[in-house]
Amino acid sequence: MPTSFLTREGFEKLQEELEYLRTQRRQEIAQRLHEAMEGGELIENAEYEAAKNEQAFVEGRIKELGILLATARIVDEIPAADTVQVGCRVTIQEEGSDSQETYSIVGAAEADPSEGKISNESPLGKALLNHKPGDKVQVDAPAGSFWVTIVKVE
């Protein structure tokens, strides 16, 4: 099984989600199923079908989270990292741009670009890994290639 990289915060968030799904969400769905079964014929009961579909989704997510957490490698704060690694923050400047952007490099499971968290498996994340401040790096993205300069690694 492939190792998934998670920050301590990301690991704890996923553990909380798993606990919620196992306890509260399962009970809520069981209650919906029970109420739908009391409603008569199950063959044409839309509420029963919706509850069964939701149950399948929740059980799939529980299984996915269980595997993810079992294979997770927790990446704590990187002490004085001078190269880009999972768990560090990196400031970059795209060629031709005056502005700088800062991202946290995280595992795919907790990537959220809107919060500045990019996956180590994304085109930008892959390109930045193992490079140092001052390095000029080519990023091969689906929309085309571009160059960035690593300004700072924390």
Side-chain angles (χ1 to χ4, degrees):
M1 281 185 195
T3 300
S4 51
F5 294 97
L6 294 171
T7 61
R8 176 130 343 255
E9 176 187 349
F11 185 83
E12 289 170 0
K13 249 184 184 175
L14 293 176
Q15 276 186 315
E16 288 171 13
E17 180 185 354
L18 180 59
E19 185 63 23
Y20 166 75
L21 291 175
R22 282 183 174 159
T23 56
Q24 292 179 306
R25 200 70 191 118
R26 269 184 176 161
Q27 288 178 353
E28 292 168 4
I29 294 170
Q31 182 62 35
R32 277 184 62 197
L33 285 168
H34 179 71
E35 290 169 5
M37 287 191 298
E38 289 178 347
E41 274 193 50
L42 298 180
I43 294 172
E44 294 183 18
N45 188 331
E47 177 58 27
Y48 178 77
E49 280 301 312
K52 287 295 286 180
N53 288 338
E54 187 174 359
Q55 181 184 41
F57 173 79
V58 167
E59 292 302 321
R61 182 68 177 155
I62 287 171
K63 184 176 181 181
E64 176 186 1
L65 287 173
I67 292 169
L68 182 67
L69 292 170
T71 61
R73 179 171 157 214
I74 298 176
V75 181
D76 287 315
E77 297 299 316
I78 308 292
D82 63 343
T83 60
V84 178
Q85 301 171 41
V86 176
C88 71
R89 291 176 50 84
V90 59
T91 302
I92 60 170
Q93 184 169 354
E94 189 174 345
E95 189 174 77
S97 174
D98 293 331
S99 63
Q100 296 180 350
E101 298 171 353
T102 301
Y103 297 102
S104 294
I105 308 295
V106 297
E110 62 181 308
D112 186 352
S114 65
E115 289 187 19
K117 295 179 178 182
I118 60 169
S119 167
N120 63 313
E121 298 173 13
S122 70
L124 180 58
K126 276 185 194 174
L128 294 174
L129 286 176
N130 300 315
H131 286 279
K132 299 178 180 214
D135 287 357
K136 191 173 182 180
V137 180
Q138 182 176 0
V139 180
D140 295 320
S145 295
F146 60 96
W147 289 87
V148 297
T149 301
I150 299 174
V151 178
K152 180 169 59 172
V153 177
E154 309 174 84

